[in-house]
């Protein structure tokens, strides 16, 4: 004997089955905990991880440039403050990251890039 489910019940069963398999890969921050502190990829102590997750697509895995310019020697032509300003506000084809990255992350990333000479 076949059992038929009406449309709403079938949709509910499908939704529950899909949701039961969902699990987030990252831990949600505890109340009062800084989100950047709970995520290792977004940490002021990890500028390389910040670069890989936010900049590598346009500037290349080795800072060589792709869509965006090479950053291999950016510290030789721009100060840390200029680099931070560009990351925060963008310009030309570069998007602004001030609403994406935290201030500490921008400082860490800009200091790391300023050392590239």
């Amino acid at each position: 004997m076949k059992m038929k489910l009406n449309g709403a019940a079938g949709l509910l069963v499908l939704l529950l089955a899909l949701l039961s398999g969902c699990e987030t890969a990252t831990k949600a921050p505890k109340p009062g905990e800084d989100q950047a502190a709970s995520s290792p990829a977004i940490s002021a102590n990890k500028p390389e991880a910040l670069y890989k997750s936010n900049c590598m697509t346009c500037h290349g895995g080795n800072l060589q440039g792709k869509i965006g310019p090479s950053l291999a020697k950016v510290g030789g032509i721009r100060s840390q403050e200029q680099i931070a300003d560009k990351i925060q506000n963008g310009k030309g084809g570069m998007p602004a990251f001030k609403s994406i990255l935290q201030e500490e992350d921008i400082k860490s990333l800009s200091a790391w890039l300023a050392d590239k000479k």
Side-chain angles (χ1 to χ4, degrees), residues 47-48 51 61-64 70-80 83 108-117:
E48 295 92 347
Y51 178 84
N62 295 314
L63 307 167
Q64 78 276 14
S70 170
L71 299 177
K73 296 184 180 184
V74 69
I77 56 174
R78 303 253 190 276
S79 69
Q80 179 180 349
I83 295 169
S108 175
L109 183 56
S110 63
W112 182 73
L113 288 169
D115 285 341
K116 308 297 179 195
K117 298 180 182 186

Side-chain angles (χ1 to χ4, degrees), residues 8-74:
L11 184 60
L12 180 60
V13 169
L14 178 63
L15 181 61
L16 288 173
L18 289 173
L19 290 177
S20 68
C22 292
E23 187 175 325
T24 58
T26 58
K27 178 182 84 167
K30 296 175 186 168
E33 181 181 35
D34 186 349
Q35 185 171 354
S38 68
S39 174
I42 304 176
S43 168
N45 297 323
K46 307 246 185 224
E48 295 92 347
L50 287 167
Y51 178 84
K52 286 179 182 178
S53 63
N54 294 283
C55 314
M56 188 169 72
T57 301
C58 295
H59 295 285
N62 295 314
L63 307 167
Q64 78 276 14
K66 288 172 86 176
I67 297 167
S70 170
L71 299 177
K73 296 184 180 184
V74 69

Side-chain angles (χ1 to χ4, degrees), residues 3-11 13-14:
M3 186 173 166
K4 273 188 154 181
L5 295 176
N6 69 27
L11 184 60
V13 169
L14 178 63

